[in-house]
Amino acid sequence: MGLLLAGCFAPQPPMFGDGEAVPEEASRVALPVRPGPDGTWALNAPAAGLLGQGRTLVRLDGPGKRGRRVALPAEFALAAHRPGAAHSAFVRGDQVVLVGGRDGRRGPSAIARLDPRRGLLTWQQALPPGSRVFLSGNGLEVLTAVCRRRSCDLTGWDTSSGVRRWTRVVSGPVRVVDACRADASTTGDGRGGDGCEPYLVTPDRVGTIDPDNGGPHWLKGLRPPDGVVDRVVKAADRVILVTAPAKGSCRATVLAGGTESGEGDRGWRYDFVWDQPQAARDPHTGCRRDRVLPLTVGFRMVLPDAEGALLVDPYFGTRRPFTRLARGEYPVSDGTPNTIVRAPGRPDRLLYASAGQPVRPHGLSPAARSLAQGFWQDGRRLLLLDHQGHGLWQGTSDCQAFGDGLKGGTVTYCDGDDLVTLRPSARTDSVTDRAGSGGARRRLRAGPDGGPAPAR
């Protein structure tokens, strides 16, 4: 019994964010593929160990994984961050589906499967003009759609073999809208964006697509509101339809359908004048709207009302108490669970804050991003802090660093011509500072607050 109890309370391994662990190099390799001008890669999937930019896709060495470098055909060069766009990729586990594009052609031109282990395209299919590409919710089928004024041609392709599994024509004015939330389709660290379920939207109905045979499953009782349904959000067991702001008036509607969790659930609806303070005014509609700005932040949905953005529970909407922000304010996220409220010319504030809780650690700018618990990137600067906000480690990165919590809290960054992965290690009596210049390493003595002492 004593041994069992000792095992239950055994010391936990060091983790970033535990207030004591400091980084040590887990690996350092020559930068296998350089990021784009913005410091990010078009494809960055840490869990799969994949980096891709332009015509180069790299599978990094890892436990049980042998590294490989693949030269992609020009048609499948990687340039777009949003999966499904021309020159992009879907990643689901070991499945990688490339979406091609050609000069002079708008939208996807072909799809292909890449086997990253062998570095080969195992199949390739050309697509007709006007095609859109989606990945099914289970990741086993690639769905392509060509929609015209009076019908929509749907095709399902087996992801592994490239075999055409089915084709189906849905009659009437049909559009295919994905639930990928443009705001979260992909991030600098490659999370999100794959496996977004597509929906069929007509003037009267909304439905899902059966990946086995392409048959539509129309959702009972959910009729689209007037206007153009521009986005479908799946949240809190609801399908939520969002219309684009109308030209001139900027009026929009958010409509949440009922669920099967209880009888009499009619969902909720909210009509408002769309206004996102950070967005430039669109010259065609006159509305301040940016489709990349998030409509979901943390556990709340954002309704960008001109009278002041509303933060609502996506299940109850405006039927329950909600938070209205002041005009000009809008919620943003820095990668932590905190929701930050931002407005031009005003200091950032936390939406929910206890007395004295800072918006972000002292000395970091509003552009700072959280890579792991206590680990931040602010411009080129990297900083690991303890629970009191004192520095445990500092360095610089020549690209947008990224974390991968699935590997125990690692952080990967660019040190000149090297790609470096850090892992947490038990702290010793000194602190390591990776300056990021030529790979030089310096050992710094600890300062009086437990952080690194100033460099001499």
mmCIF file of all heavy atoms in Angstrom, residues 269-311:
data_model
loop_
_atom_site.group_PDB
_atom_site.id
_atom_site.type_symbol
_atom_site.label_atom_id
_atom_site.label_comp_id
_atom_site.label_asym_id
_atom_site.label_seq_id
_atom_site.Cartn_x
_atom_site.Cartn_y
_atom_site.Cartn_z
ATOM 1 N N ARG A 269 -32.391 33.613 -32.159
ATOM 2 C CA ARG A 269 -32.108 34.445 -33.331
ATOM 3 C C ARG A 269 -31.774 35.855 -32.854
ATOM 4 O O ARG A 269 -32.330 36.347 -31.870
ATOM 5 C CB ARG A 269 -33.313 34.473 -34.264
ATOM 6 C CG ARG A 269 -33.194 35.461 -35.420
ATOM 7 C CD ARG A 269 -34.394 35.424 -36.314
ATOM 8 N NE ARG A 269 -34.301 36.430 -37.375
ATOM 9 C CZ ARG A 269 -34.715 36.263 -38.598
ATOM 10 N NH1 ARG A 269 -35.286 35.115 -38.951
ATOM 11 N NH2 ARG A 269 -34.601 37.225 -39.491
ATOM 12 N N TYR A 270 -30.858 36.500 -33.602
ATOM 13 C CA TYR A 270 -30.543 37.892 -33.295
ATOM 14 C C TYR A 270 -30.263 38.633 -34.600
ATOM 15 O O TYR A 270 -29.451 38.192 -35.422
ATOM 16 C CB TYR A 270 -29.320 37.983 -32.367
ATOM 17 C CG TYR A 270 -29.048 39.384 -31.884
ATOM 18 C CD1 TYR A 270 -29.883 39.995 -30.956
ATOM 19 C CD2 TYR A 270 -27.946 40.104 -32.352
ATOM 20 C CE1 TYR A 270 -29.636 41.278 -30.507
ATOM 21 C CE2 TYR A 270 -27.694 41.394 -31.910
ATOM 22 C CZ TYR A 270 -28.546 41.983 -30.986
ATOM 23 O OH TYR A 270 -28.313 43.260 -30.550
ATOM 24 N N ASP A 271 -30.950 39.760 -34.791
ATOM 25 C CA ASP A 271 -30.747 40.624 -35.954
ATOM 26 C C ASP A 271 -30.035 41.895 -35.497
ATOM 27 O O ASP A 271 -30.407 42.482 -34.472
ATOM 28 C CB ASP A 271 -32.094 40.979 -36.591
ATOM 29 C CG ASP A 271 -32.848 39.745 -37.077
ATOM 30 O OD1 ASP A 271 -32.488 39.225 -38.143
ATOM 31 O OD2 ASP A 271 -33.784 39.312 -36.375
ATOM 32 N N PHE A 272 -29.070 42.328 -36.268
ATOM 33 C CA PHE A 272 -28.277 43.481 -35.833
ATOM 34 C C PHE A 272 -27.588 44.125 -37.029
ATOM 35 O O PHE A 272 -27.584 43.577 -38.143
ATOM 36 C CB PHE A 272 -27.240 43.045 -34.791
ATOM 37 C CG PHE A 272 -26.254 42.014 -35.298
ATOM 38 C CD1 PHE A 272 -24.977 42.369 -35.695
ATOM 39 C CD2 PHE A 272 -26.608 40.668 -35.377
ATOM 40 C CE1 PHE A 272 -24.079 41.425 -36.158
ATOM 41 C CE2 PHE A 272 -25.714 39.715 -35.834
ATOM 42 C CZ PHE A 272 -24.443 40.100 -36.229
ATOM 43 N N VAL A 273 -26.976 45.271 -36.793
ATOM 44 C CA VAL A 273 -26.143 45.949 -37.787
ATOM 45 C C VAL A 273 -24.702 45.539 -37.541
ATOM 46 O O VAL A 273 -24.149 45.771 -36.465
ATOM 47 C CB VAL A 273 -26.293 47.482 -37.701
ATOM 48 C CG1 VAL A 273 -25.328 48.156 -38.669
ATOM 49 C CG2 VAL A 273 -27.729 47.893 -38.013
ATOM 50 N N TRP A 274 -24.094 44.914 -38.534
ATOM 51 C CA TRP A 274 -22.750 44.334 -38.387
ATOM 52 C C TRP A 274 -21.692 45.432 -38.354
ATOM 53 O O TRP A 274 -21.653 46.308 -39.214
ATOM 54 C CB TRP A 274 -22.492 43.407 -39.572
ATOM 55 C CG TRP A 274 -21.243 42.586 -39.477
ATOM 56 C CD1 TRP A 274 -19.963 43.013 -39.519
ATOM 57 C CD2 TRP A 274 -21.178 41.170 -39.318
ATOM 58 N NE1 TRP A 274 -19.085 41.968 -39.404
ATOM 59 C CE2 TRP A 274 -19.813 40.817 -39.283
ATOM 60 C CE3 TRP A 274 -22.142 40.167 -39.220
ATOM 61 C CZ2 TRP A 274 -19.392 39.500 -39.149
ATOM 62 C CZ3 TRP A 274 -21.717 38.851 -39.089
ATOM 63 C CH2 TRP A 274 -20.354 38.521 -39.053
ATOM 64 N N ASP A 275 -20.808 45.359 -37.361
ATOM 65 C CA ASP A 275 -19.696 46.307 -37.289
ATOM 66 C C ASP A 275 -18.570 45.698 -36.472
ATOM 67 O O ASP A 275 -18.737 45.393 -35.291
ATOM 68 C CB ASP A 275 -20.144 47.621 -36.648
ATOM 69 C CG ASP A 275 -19.044 48.685 -36.709
ATOM 70 O OD1 ASP A 275 -18.814 49.213 -37.810
ATOM 71 O OD2 ASP A 275 -18.430 48.960 -35.667
ATOM 72 N N GLN A 276 -17.417 45.490 -37.104
ATOM 73 C CA GLN A 276 -16.226 44.989 -36.435
ATOM 74 C C GLN A 276 -15.188 46.107 -36.420
ATOM 75 O O GLN A 276 -14.652 46.475 -37.468
ATOM 76 C CB GLN A 276 -15.685 43.749 -37.142
ATOM 77 C CG GLN A 276 -16.549 42.516 -36.913
ATOM 78 C CD GLN A 276 -16.158 41.352 -37.795
ATOM 79 O OE1 GLN A 276 -16.119 41.499 -39.005
ATOM 80 N NE2 GLN A 276 -15.894 40.204 -37.201
ATOM 81 N N PRO A 277 -14.903 46.689 -35.269
ATOM 82 C CA PRO A 277 -14.081 47.897 -35.219
ATOM 83 C C PRO A 277 -12.695 47.751 -35.824
ATOM 84 O O PRO A 277 -12.146 48.722 -36.348
ATOM 85 C CB PRO A 277 -13.989 48.184 -33.709
ATOM 86 C CG PRO A 277 -15.166 47.489 -33.115
ATOM 87 C CD PRO A 277 -15.397 46.277 -33.957
ATOM 88 N N GLN A 278 -12.091 46.545 -35.777
ATOM 89 C CA GLN A 278 -10.742 46.386 -36.312
ATOM 90 C C GLN A 278 -10.709 46.339 -37.831
ATOM 91 O O GLN A 278 -9.665 46.482 -38.445
ATOM 92 C CB GLN A 278 -10.086 45.103 -35.808
ATOM 93 C CG GLN A 278 -10.219 44.859 -34.324
ATOM 94 C CD GLN A 278 -11.337 43.904 -34.031
ATOM 95 O OE1 GLN A 278 -12.430 44.079 -34.536
ATOM 96 N NE2 GLN A 278 -11.074 42.902 -33.210
ATOM 97 N N ALA A 279 -11.868 46.086 -38.458
ATOM 98 C CA ALA A 279 -11.901 45.847 -39.902
ATOM 99 C C ALA A 279 -12.021 47.159 -40.675
ATOM 100 O O ALA A 279 -12.679 48.110 -40.233
ATOM 101 C CB ALA A 279 -13.065 44.932 -40.249
ATOM 102 N N ALA A 280 -11.400 47.180 -41.838
ATOM 103 C CA ALA A 280 -11.566 48.320 -42.738
ATOM 104 C C ALA A 280 -12.955 48.258 -43.370
ATOM 105 O O ALA A 280 -13.550 47.190 -43.500
ATOM 106 C CB ALA A 280 -10.486 48.288 -43.820
ATOM 107 N N ARG A 281 -13.468 49.404 -43.771
ATOM 108 C CA ARG A 281 -14.788 49.447 -44.387
ATOM 109 C C ARG A 281 -14.701 48.891 -45.810
ATOM 110 O O ARG A 281 -13.898 49.343 -46.613
ATOM 111 C CB ARG A 281 -15.324 50.875 -44.396
ATOM 112 C CG ARG A 281 -16.839 50.950 -44.543
ATOM 113 C CD ARG A 281 -17.332 52.348 -44.257
ATOM 114 N NE ARG A 281 -17.159 52.741 -42.871
ATOM 115 C CZ ARG A 281 -17.961 52.380 -41.880
ATOM 116 N NH1 ARG A 281 -19.002 51.586 -42.127
ATOM 117 N NH2 ARG A 281 -17.744 52.788 -40.646
ATOM 118 N N ASP A 282 -15.520 47.890 -46.099
ATOM 119 C CA ASP A 282 -15.491 47.261 -47.408
ATOM 120 C C ASP A 282 -16.026 48.231 -48.468
ATOM 121 O O ASP A 282 -17.119 48.789 -48.301
ATOM 122 C CB ASP A 282 -16.351 45.991 -47.390
ATOM 123 C CG ASP A 282 -16.290 45.234 -48.694
ATOM 124 O OD1 ASP A 282 -17.086 45.556 -49.599
ATOM 125 O OD2 ASP A 282 -15.454 44.326 -48.799
ATOM 126 N N PRO A 283 -15.294 48.443 -49.566
ATOM 127 C CA PRO A 283 -15.741 49.422 -50.565
ATOM 128 C C PRO A 283 -17.011 49.009 -51.294
ATOM 129 O O PRO A 283 -17.708 49.866 -51.847
ATOM 130 C CB PRO A 283 -14.547 49.516 -51.518
ATOM 131 C CG PRO A 283 -13.798 48.233 -51.354
ATOM 132 C CD PRO A 283 -13.988 47.854 -49.917
ATOM 133 N N HIS A 284 -17.319 47.720 -51.300
ATOM 134 C CA HIS A 284 -18.495 47.247 -52.036
ATOM 135 C C HIS A 284 -19.766 47.289 -51.189
ATOM 136 O O HIS A 284 -20.847 47.590 -51.693
ATOM 137 C CB HIS A 284 -18.260 45.831 -52.554
ATOM 138 C CG HIS A 284 -17.068 45.715 -53.447
ATOM 139 N ND1 HIS A 284 -17.013 46.261 -54.709
ATOM 140 C CD2 HIS A 284 -15.843 45.123 -53.246
ATOM 141 C CE1 HIS A 284 -15.838 46.001 -55.258
ATOM 142 N NE2 HIS A 284 -15.114 45.316 -54.383
ATOM 143 N N THR A 285 -19.653 46.976 -49.898
ATOM 144 C CA THR A 285 -20.836 46.925 -49.050
ATOM 145 C C THR A 285 -20.946 48.126 -48.119
ATOM 146 O O THR A 285 -22.030 48.407 -47.598
ATOM 147 C CB THR A 285 -20.835 45.649 -48.197
ATOM 148 O OG1 THR A 285 -19.708 45.684 -47.295
ATOM 149 C CG2 THR A 285 -20.736 44.413 -49.075
ATOM 150 N N GLY A 286 -19.818 48.794 -47.869
ATOM 151 C CA GLY A 286 -19.819 49.887 -46.908
ATOM 152 C C GLY A 286 -19.779 49.426 -45.468
ATOM 153 O O GLY A 286 -19.911 50.239 -44.548
ATOM 154 N N CYS A 287 -19.568 48.128 -45.238
ATOM 155 C CA CYS A 287 -19.605 47.572 -43.884
ATOM 156 C C CYS A 287 -18.184 47.291 -43.388
ATOM 157 O O CYS A 287 -17.316 46.900 -44.166
ATOM 158 C CB CYS A 287 -20.409 46.276 -43.857
ATOM 159 S SG CYS A 287 -22.048 46.409 -44.611
ATOM 160 N N ARG A 288 -17.995 47.466 -42.091
ATOM 161 C CA ARG A 288 -16.720 47.086 -41.484
ATOM 162 C C ARG A 288 -16.831 45.615 -41.089
ATOM 163 O O ARG A 288 -17.446 45.266 -40.090
ATOM 164 C CB ARG A 288 -16.418 47.952 -40.261
ATOM 165 C CG ARG A 288 -16.091 49.388 -40.624
ATOM 166 C CD ARG A 288 -15.337 50.090 -39.519
ATOM 167 N NE ARG A 288 -16.112 50.195 -38.284
ATOM 168 C CZ ARG A 288 -15.653 50.790 -37.175
ATOM 169 N NH1 ARG A 288 -14.431 51.303 -37.164
ATOM 170 N NH2 ARG A 288 -16.414 50.858 -36.104
ATOM 171 N N ARG A 289 -16.211 44.797 -41.908
ATOM 172 C CA ARG A 289 -16.335 43.357 -41.707
ATOM 173 C C ARG A 289 -15.110 42.647 -42.251
ATOM 174 O O ARG A 289 -14.656 42.913 -43.357
ATOM 175 C CB ARG A 289 -17.585 42.844 -42.401
ATOM 176 C CG ARG A 289 -17.758 41.329 -42.299
ATOM 177 C CD ARG A 289 -18.171 40.784 -43.629
ATOM 178 N NE ARG A 289 -18.477 39.376 -43.595
ATOM 179 C CZ ARG A 289 -18.566 38.631 -44.682
ATOM 180 N NH1 ARG A 289 -18.401 39.175 -45.875
ATOM 181 N NH2 ARG A 289 -18.824 37.358 -44.606
ATOM 182 N N ASP A 290 -14.553 41.764 -41.431
ATOM 183 C CA ASP A 290 -13.406 40.956 -41.836
ATOM 184 C C ASP A 290 -13.743 39.513 -41.496
ATOM 185 O O ASP A 290 -13.905 39.166 -40.323
ATOM 186 C CB ASP A 290 -12.146 41.407 -41.098
ATOM 187 C CG ASP A 290 -10.902 40.646 -41.539
ATOM 188 O OD1 ASP A 290 -11.048 39.627 -42.249
ATOM 189 O OD2 ASP A 290 -9.791 41.058 -41.181
ATOM 190 N N ARG A 291 -13.856 38.675 -42.522
ATOM 191 C CA ARG A 291 -14.291 37.295 -42.288
ATOM 192 C C ARG A 291 -13.275 36.482 -41.496
ATOM 193 O O ARG A 291 -13.588 35.411 -40.988
ATOM 194 C CB ARG A 291 -14.568 36.617 -43.633
ATOM 195 C CG ARG A 291 -15.453 35.374 -43.518
ATOM 196 C CD ARG A 291 -15.812 34.815 -44.881
ATOM 197 N NE ARG A 291 -16.758 33.725 -44.776
ATOM 198 C CZ ARG A 291 -16.413 32.454 -44.584
ATOM 199 N NH1 ARG A 291 -15.143 32.134 -44.453
ATOM 200 N NH2 ARG A 291 -17.329 31.516 -44.506
ATOM 201 N N VAL A 292 -12.050 36.994 -41.384
ATOM 202 C CA VAL A 292 -11.038 36.267 -40.628
ATOM 203 C C VAL A 292 -11.141 36.556 -39.131
ATOM 204 O O VAL A 292 -10.673 35.784 -38.312
ATOM 205 C CB VAL A 292 -9.632 36.622 -41.162
ATOM 206 C CG1 VAL A 292 -8.538 35.976 -40.331
ATOM 207 C CG2 VAL A 292 -9.503 36.174 -42.616
ATOM 208 N N LEU A 293 -11.771 37.664 -38.754
ATOM 209 C CA LEU A 293 -11.919 37.958 -37.333
ATOM 210 C C LEU A 293 -12.851 36.932 -36.699
ATOM 211 O O LEU A 293 -13.868 36.553 -37.271
ATOM 212 C CB LEU A 293 -12.481 39.364 -37.137
ATOM 213 C CG LEU A 293 -11.545 40.506 -37.555
ATOM 214 C CD1 LEU A 293 -12.255 41.841 -37.398
ATOM 215 C CD2 LEU A 293 -10.266 40.490 -36.740
ATOM 216 N N PRO A 294 -12.518 36.457 -35.494
ATOM 217 C CA PRO A 294 -13.276 35.334 -34.919
ATOM 218 C C PRO A 294 -14.676 35.716 -34.472
ATOM 219 O O PRO A 294 -14.912 36.807 -33.967
ATOM 220 C CB PRO A 294 -12.416 34.918 -33.717
ATOM 221 C CG PRO A 294 -11.662 36.153 -33.351
ATOM 222 C CD PRO A 294 -11.394 36.863 -34.638
ATOM 223 N N LEU A 295 -15.593 34.791 -34.675
ATOM 224 C CA LEU A 295 -16.935 34.907 -34.113
ATOM 225 C C LEU A 295 -17.088 34.035 -32.877
ATOM 226 O O LEU A 295 -18.149 34.025 -32.254
ATOM 227 C CB LEU A 295 -17.992 34.523 -35.145
ATOM 228 C CG LEU A 295 -18.164 35.487 -36.330
ATOM 229 C CD1 LEU A 295 -19.324 35.051 -37.200
ATOM 230 C CD2 LEU A 295 -18.354 36.913 -35.856
ATOM 231 N N THR A 296 -16.061 33.287 -32.537
ATOM 232 C CA THR A 296 -16.040 32.536 -31.291
ATOM 233 C C THR A 296 -14.716 32.824 -30.608
ATOM 234 O O THR A 296 -13.654 32.679 -31.212
ATOM 235 C CB THR A 296 -16.188 31.023 -31.530
ATOM 236 O OG1 THR A 296 -15.209 30.594 -32.479
ATOM 237 C CG2 THR A 296 -17.576 30.692 -32.031
ATOM 238 N N VAL A 297 -14.775 33.254 -29.372
ATOM 239 C CA VAL A 297 -13.584 33.530 -28.570
ATOM 240 C C VAL A 297 -13.784 32.852 -27.225
ATOM 241 O O VAL A 297 -14.738 33.163 -26.510
ATOM 242 C CB VAL A 297 -13.351 35.039 -28.385
ATOM 243 C CG1 VAL A 297 -12.156 35.286 -27.470
ATOM 244 C CG2 VAL A 297 -13.134 35.727 -29.728
ATOM 245 N N GLY A 298 -12.899 31.922 -26.896
ATOM 246 C CA GLY A 298 -13.081 31.171 -25.664
ATOM 247 C C GLY A 298 -14.379 30.373 -25.722
ATOM 248 O O GLY A 298 -14.651 29.669 -26.689
ATOM 249 N N PHE A 299 -15.216 30.527 -24.708
ATOM 250 C CA PHE A 299 -16.483 29.788 -24.644
ATOM 251 C C PHE A 299 -17.658 30.670 -25.060
ATOM 252 O O PHE A 299 -18.808 30.307 -24.841
ATOM 253 C CB PHE A 299 -16.718 29.256 -23.230
ATOM 254 C CG PHE A 299 -15.655 28.299 -22.771
ATOM 255 C CD1 PHE A 299 -14.669 28.698 -21.888
ATOM 256 C CD2 PHE A 299 -15.630 26.996 -23.252
ATOM 257 C CE1 PHE A 299 -13.680 27.812 -21.474
ATOM 258 C CE2 PHE A 299 -14.651 26.106 -22.843
ATOM 259 C CZ PHE A 299 -13.673 26.514 -21.957
ATOM 260 N N ARG A 300 -17.382 31.817 -25.644
ATOM 261 C CA ARG A 300 -18.430 32.743 -26.008
ATOM 262 C C ARG A 300 -18.463 32.965 -27.507
ATOM 263 O O ARG A 300 -17.457 32.858 -28.203
ATOM 264 C CB ARG A 300 -18.225 34.088 -25.295
ATOM 265 C CG ARG A 300 -18.410 34.033 -23.789
ATOM 266 C CD ARG A 300 -19.857 33.802 -23.436
ATOM 267 N NE ARG A 300 -20.080 33.741 -21.997
ATOM 268 C CZ ARG A 300 -20.143 32.623 -21.300
ATOM 269 N NH1 ARG A 300 -19.990 31.456 -21.910
ATOM 270 N NH2 ARG A 300 -20.375 32.640 -20.001
ATOM 271 N N MET A 301 -19.677 33.269 -28.009
ATOM 272 C CA MET A 301 -19.837 33.658 -29.397
ATOM 273 C C MET A 301 -19.959 35.173 -29.449
ATOM 274 O O MET A 301 -20.581 35.795 -28.587
ATOM 275 C CB MET A 301 -21.075 33.005 -29.998
ATOM 276 C CG MET A 301 -21.225 33.295 -31.486
ATOM 277 S SD MET A 301 -22.516 32.308 -32.256
ATOM 278 C CE MET A 301 -22.260 32.791 -33.971
ATOM 279 N N VAL A 302 -19.352 35.764 -30.484
ATOM 280 C CA VAL A 302 -19.339 37.213 -30.631
ATOM 281 C C VAL A 302 -20.374 37.619 -31.676
ATOM 282 O O VAL A 302 -20.374 37.109 -32.797
ATOM 283 C CB VAL A 302 -17.947 37.717 -31.075
ATOM 284 C CG1 VAL A 302 -17.928 39.242 -31.107
ATOM 285 C CG2 VAL A 302 -16.862 37.180 -30.160
ATOM 286 N N LEU A 303 -21.254 38.540 -31.313
ATOM 287 C CA LEU A 303 -22.191 39.137 -32.252
ATOM 288 C C LEU A 303 -21.742 40.582 -32.446
ATOM 289 O O LEU A 303 -21.923 41.414 -31.551
ATOM 290 C CB LEU A 303 -23.621 39.084 -31.706
ATOM 291 C CG LEU A 303 -24.113 37.717 -31.220
ATOM 292 C CD1 LEU A 303 -25.556 37.817 -30.750
ATOM 293 C CD2 LEU A 303 -23.980 36.666 -32.313
ATOM 294 N N PRO A 304 -21.140 40.911 -33.588
ATOM 295 C CA PRO A 304 -20.514 42.227 -33.768
ATOM 296 C C PRO A 304 -21.526 43.342 -34.033
ATOM 297 O O PRO A 304 -21.586 43.928 -35.110
ATOM 298 C CB PRO A 304 -19.581 42.000 -34.960
ATOM 299 C CG PRO A 304 -20.207 40.896 -35.729
ATOM 300 C CD PRO A 304 -20.870 40.013 -34.729
ATOM 301 N N ASP A 305 -22.329 43.646 -33.034
ATOM 302 C CA ASP A 305 -23.380 44.651 -33.137
ATOM 303 C C ASP A 305 -22.767 46.051 -33.133
ATOM 304 O O ASP A 305 -21.856 46.340 -32.346
ATOM 305 C CB ASP A 305 -24.323 44.499 -31.940
ATOM 306 C CG ASP A 305 -25.630 45.244 -32.111
ATOM 307 O OD1 ASP A 305 -25.621 46.329 -32.713
ATOM 308 O OD2 ASP A 305 -26.655 44.742 -31.630
ATOM 309 N N ALA A 306 -23.294 46.935 -33.981
ATOM 310 C CA ALA A 306 -22.797 48.302 -34.046
ATOM 311 C C ALA A 306 -23.013 49.057 -32.736
ATOM 312 O O ALA A 306 -22.289 50.018 -32.431
ATOM 313 C CB ALA A 306 -23.468 49.052 -35.197
ATOM 314 N N GLU A 307 -23.997 48.657 -31.941
ATOM 315 C CA GLU A 307 -24.239 49.300 -30.653
ATOM 316 C C GLU A 307 -23.252 48.844 -29.585
ATOM 317 O O GLU A 307 -23.247 49.370 -28.477
ATOM 318 C CB GLU A 307 -25.670 48.995 -30.190
ATOM 319 C CG GLU A 307 -26.747 49.578 -31.078
ATOM 320 C CD GLU A 307 -26.670 51.099 -31.125
ATOM 321 O OE1 GLU A 307 -26.465 51.721 -30.056
ATOM 322 O OE2 GLU A 307 -26.804 51.656 -32.229
ATOM 323 N N GLY A 308 -22.444 47.876 -29.913
ATOM 324 C CA GLY A 308 -21.493 47.298 -28.970
ATOM 325 C C GLY A 308 -21.539 45.792 -29.084
ATOM 326 O O GLY A 308 -22.614 45.189 -28.982
ATOM 327 N N ALA A 309 -20.399 45.168 -29.342
ATOM 328 C CA ALA A 309 -20.367 43.722 -29.561
ATOM 329 C C ALA A 309 -20.970 42.980 -28.375
ATOM 330 O O ALA A 309 -20.737 43.336 -27.215
ATOM 331 C CB ALA A 309 -18.928 43.273 -29.796
ATOM 332 N N LEU A 310 -21.746 41.931 -28.691
ATOM 333 C CA LEU A 310 -22.359 41.108 -27.666
ATOM 334 C C LEU A 310 -21.593 39.795 -27.544
ATOM 335 O O LEU A 310 -21.233 39.175 -28.550
ATOM 336 C CB LEU A 310 -23.817 40.794 -28.012
ATOM 337 C CG LEU A 310 -24.770 41.978 -28.177
ATOM 338 C CD1 LEU A 310 -26.180 41.452 -28.458
ATOM 339 C CD2 LEU A 310 -24.766 42.853 -26.960
ATOM 340 N N LEU A 311 -21.349 39.366 -26.314
ATOM 341 C CA LEU A 311 -20.754 38.060 -26.045
ATOM 342 C C LEU A 311 -21.834 37.197 -25.422
ATOM 343 O O LEU A 311 -22.345 37.506 -24.336
ATOM 344 C CB LEU A 311 -19.558 38.189 -25.104
ATOM 345 C CG LEU A 311 -18.413 39.075 -25.596
ATOM 346 C CD1 LEU A 311 -17.244 39.017 -24.621
ATOM 347 C CD2 LEU A 311 -17.959 38.643 -26.974
#
